[in-house]
Structure formats: C-alpha cells, structure tokens
Amino acid sequence: MRLLSCALLLGLSLPASALDLGDAYALALRNDPTFHAAIAERDAGLENRAIGRAGLLPNLSYRYNSARNDSEVTQTNQFGDNTSQRDYRSYSSTLTLQQPLFDWAAWADYRQGVAKALLADERFRGQSQALAVRLFGAYSDALFANEQIALAQAQRRAYAEQLKLNERLIKGGEGTRTDVLETRARYELAQAQEIEASDNLDAALRSLQSIIGEPLEVADLAPLAGHFRVQPLQPARFDAWRDLAVANNAELASQRHALDAADQAIERQRAGHLPSLSAYASKGRSSSSSESSYNQRYDTDTIGIQLSMPLFAGGGVSASTRQATAQRDNVRYQLDGQIAETLNELRKQFNLCTSSTAKVRAYELAVDSASELITATRKSVAGGERVNLDVLNAEQQLYSARRDLAQARYDYMRAWLQVRYLAGTLEASDLQQLNNYFVSRGDLASNAAR
C-alpha cells in the first residue's frame, strides 16, 4: 500500500510532453492486468484468516421440517387386529447454538488461516515490487532499442559517405574495387542491424503497452539524459544487503509463511487422535413428529456439553500426518533453495552495480578514443599510411563502443533496481530516483522552445 500511495502522488495523467517513469508507473498501477490479478489473489488469500477463525466461533443453526403424513395403524388385541387410517400434518422446529470448547483441529485451521493470509499479503508486496521491475525493464528496453536504431542509422550514413569517397577515388584512378566492396558490405550489415533494432523496439513497445494499458510511440518516452553519473550503493557493503534480503525479501517472507501453514497442516491431521469438546444449547418445538407422539406437541429447551473421542480410523490419521510432515519438509527445502538463489542473484546484481562506475567510465573513454581514431585514420589514409579497411574498422569500433556504453548505463540502472527488489526494500520513490537519469519535462520544454 505504501507503493500505491507513493505512486498516486506522482500523478495519474499521461503527460503531453513525455511519459516518464513516474507517469508510467501510475498508469501501470491502474491498468496492468498482472498487477490486478495479484490484487485479486491477495484479497482471496486474506479471507483465509476469517475462514479459519470461523471454526472457533459459535455456530448457530436452524432446522424446520413440515410434512403431510398418511399412516395406517394396526393394533392387535385379544379380539384380533384393529386397523385405522391416520391422515395428519407434522412439523418440527429446532434452533441450535454450539460453541467449541476444545477442538485442536479448529485451532490448527485458524492458525493455518492466519499464515495463509500473511502469505498472500507478502506475495502481493512482491508482485507490487515486481511491477516496478517489469515496467523499468520494458521502458529501458524500448529506449535502448531506439538508441541502437539511431546508432545503426548513423553508422549507415558514415558508410554511405565512405562509399561515395571510394567511388570518387576509383574514377580518379586512385582507389580499388576492393575498397568499394568492403565499404558496401559494412553498409549492408548496418542496414541489417537497423532492421533488427527496429524489431526489438516494436517488441519492447508492445510489452510496455501491455503494462501501462495505453498506446504509445518511442517518441512519447523520456530519453536518457546526456550527463550520467553512477551513484554508489548505500549501504556499500554486501553483507548489509544480504541481511536486508534475508529479513525483507517478499518471496522469502511468503515462503516462511507457507512453512508455518504446512506446520499447522500437520497439527490439523494430528487432531484426528484427540478428543473434541463443545457446549450446545437448543430450543425445539414439534407436533406429531413421530407415530409415538401423534397429536402431541412438545416445546423442549436443552443445554449441555458434547464430547467426541476418536478411537480407530483404519490408520488414516497416522498416514495423513506422515503425508503432511513430508509436505512440510518439501516446503522447508524449497525455502532453503530460494534463500540461496536469492542471495546468489543479489550478489550478481550488487557486483554489477559496484563495477558500473569503472565500466561506464571506461566505455566513455573508449567512445572518445574511437572518435579520435577515426579522424587520425582518415588522415593516415590520405597520407598513404593506412587503407580503407582501417577506416571501416575504426568506424565499427566507434559504434560498438557507443552501443556498449548505452548497454552499460541501462544495465547499471536495472541492477540498481534489482538490488532493492531482491533486498525487499524497493518503493515507488526509487523509480522516481531513477527518473533523474532521463530528460525531464522542463528540459524537453526548453529544448522545444529553442
């Protein structure tokens, strides 16, 4: 609910300038079918508490019976049989109140219901956090694919210019046919990469549309800002994040509640060997309810206790208890495996975050170096020290560096979000913090004005 409240503060309307992460998250809360399915699942799971509690509360029931009877009565005496016909109406009305005093099965059902309700609540918390992760994944995939299209187009334009230069040199008697073929091959490859990036963009946009429930184009998204600074994780030590994950991860918390529910299932089966005691009170009224009470009316008030003691059930109780124990052990081992898997993934994302500062900086330097390399290589070709293939390789190196830089930036933001998701601390405000890496509405407005 804190996630929902924070997101609603970000606004629910689709902006005319750009759909930033806050707006997209607000729309996802309103329209994402997976999230609404999680709400329904949570609401259904919370009812387990009331269902379990019902077995401990008083039970009030009413029974009424009314019938028309056609009876033939034969009486035997010393003079023989005397037969008479009776055509009469009968009825019975009973109001019964019953209160369990000792019922171990009902008590286990109640505690199991509480555990299942807590499980449903934790699962919903996990689904709420997963929504933010899914949303950012689709949002960043669309922007990354769009950047790849732009890079492929720029690369294709550069190769087209190089191809024109090669053809001019051939006409002047200075170039070679090999240079033209090499450049044309790189040009066609850039076209293929552009087509592939366009397909990736279409898939990412469709995925994002299914989450936010609104049609959109990539131009509707806020692009990544030019300035990008990796923020160090706080806390900086992995041990702190590990402790947070063990204590707060929603999936692990739901698994623990599932283990509690499995423990109560064992107690529920063990109750088959235990007695149950209840108090009851009833008020009944009947008229001609049987042949022995023909033409008689009874008003009866009853109060008492009822003891039920199981003696032998063919071994079914013991077998059911062993089955429930094995199922509990299965849940416990699943929890152990989930803890190990979660901590391994947390370590992976933590390492990716901590190494991103050096990685992004290295790719930025690689882009600068590759740009200078192209200029230097072109001059060397003009001086006869390099050949056309060296220029093409330098161009390829530049665009590969730009692609890797964009990938490293998005990988860092995904890892930053994943660390908080795995630690169970992810909130809507974290999306707003990531929003600072994208062009704001004010920047878009000022750019449009210029």
Side-chain angles (χ1 to χ4, degrees), residues 111-223:
R111 290 185 294 180
Q112 187 180 51
V114 171
K116 287 183 176 180
L118 293 173
L119 183 153
D121 201 47
E122 288 295 341
R123 280 186 176 171
F124 175 71
R125 182 169 70 92
Q127 289 291 332
S128 300
Q129 294 176 341
L131 173 62
V133 175
R134 289 190 295 110
L135 173 69
F136 183 78
Y139 193 96
S140 60
D141 284 346
L143 288 177
F144 179 69
N146 191 51
E147 287 191 38
Q148 300 316 295
I149 293 175
L151 285 174
Q153 290 173 343
Q155 192 173 15
R156 182 166 52 82
R157 287 192 296 268
Y159 289 145
E161 292 297 326
Q162 185 69 23
L163 186 59
K164 290 179 182 179
L165 176 61
N166 294 147
E167 291 173 346
R168 285 199 304 269
L169 290 175
I170 285 182
K171 291 180 180 179
E174 299 180 17
T176 65
R177 183 65 179 170
T178 302
D179 292 342
V180 174
L181 293 176
E182 288 173 347
T183 306
R184 190 179 300 279
R186 297 295 181 95
Y187 178 85
E188 298 297 339
L189 179 60
Q191 279 191 318
Q193 291 173 342
E194 182 181 351
I195 294 172
E196 180 182 1
S198 297
D199 292 340
N200 293 337
L201 175 60
D202 182 71
L205 285 176
R206 289 182 182 275
S207 177
L208 183 57
Q209 288 173 8
S210 68
I211 295 174
I212 68 173
E214 296 282 350
L216 77 164
E217 301 293 336
V218 69
D220 299 327
L221 306 183

Side-chain angles (χ1 to χ4, degrees), residues 77-331:
N77 53 36
Q78 59 182 344
F79 301 107
D81 294 338
N82 183 19
T83 302
S84 61
Q85 295 294 126
R86 292 179 181 175
D87 185 7
Y88 65 96
R89 299 190 65 85
S90 64
Y91 77 89
S92 64
S93 174
T94 306
L95 181 65
T96 303
L97 175 65
Q98 188 169 10
Q99 170 63 57
L101 300 178
F102 177 82
D103 190 333
W104 194 250
W107 178 243
D109 284 340
Y110 168 68
R111 290 185 294 180
Q112 187 180 51
V114 171
K116 287 183 176 180
L118 293 173
L119 183 153
D121 201 47
E122 288 295 341
R123 280 186 176 171
F124 175 71
R125 182 169 70 92
Q127 289 291 332
S128 300
Q129 294 176 341
L131 173 62
V133 175
R134 289 190 295 110
L135 173 69
F136 183 78
Y139 193 96
S140 60
D141 284 346
L143 288 177
F144 179 69
N146 191 51
E147 287 191 38
Q148 300 316 295
I149 293 175
L151 285 174
Q153 290 173 343
Q155 192 173 15
R156 182 166 52 82
R157 287 192 296 268
Y159 289 145
E161 292 297 326
Q162 185 69 23
L163 186 59
K164 290 179 182 179
L165 176 61
N166 294 147
E167 291 173 346
R168 285 199 304 269
L169 290 175
I170 285 182
K171 291 180 180 179
E174 299 180 17
T176 65
R177 183 65 179 170
T178 302
D179 292 342
V180 174
L181 293 176
E182 288 173 347
T183 306
R184 190 179 300 279
R186 297 295 181 95
Y187 178 85
E188 298 297 339
L189 179 60
Q191 279 191 318
Q193 291 173 342
E194 182 181 351
I195 294 172
E196 180 182 1
S198 297
D199 292 340
N200 293 337
L201 175 60
D202 182 71
L205 285 176
R206 289 182 182 275
S207 177
L208 183 57
Q209 288 173 8
S210 68
I211 295 174
I212 68 173
E214 296 282 350
L216 77 164
E217 301 293 336
V218 69
D220 299 327
L221 306 183
L224 198 63
H227 56 87
F228 191 94
R229 182 173 177 271
V230 174
Q231 300 291 334
L233 282 174
Q234 293 296 333
R237 296 174 60 250
F238 174 74
D239 292 346
W241 288 104
R242 179 192 60 202
D243 294 341
L244 284 172
V246 171
N248 300 318
N249 180 272
E251 183 63 27
L252 297 184
S254 66
Q255 283 287 91
R256 291 190 186 96
H257 292 309
L259 185 59
D260 292 340
D263 285 332
Q264 297 309 317
I266 297 175
E267 295 301 312
R268 176 68 176 83
Q269 299 304 325
R270 285 183 61 247
H273 290 304
L274 301 176
S276 61
L277 180 67
S278 61
Y280 70 94
S282 66
K283 181 177 183 61
R285 175 177 295 179
S286 64
S287 175
S288 301
S289 59
S290 66
E291 288 293 339
S292 60
S293 60
Y294 174 65
N295 274 343
Q296 299 179 35
R297 175 176 169 176
Y298 295 89
D299 290 320
T300 306
D301 295 332
T302 306
I303 188 170
I305 60 173
Q306 177 176 302
L307 175 67
S308 176
M309 181 66 190
L311 298 177
F312 181 68
V317 173
S318 298
S320 297
T321 303
R322 292 193 300 270
Q323 182 186 61
T325 302
Q327 291 171 341
R328 187 273 313 274
D329 292 341
N330 176 42
V331 174

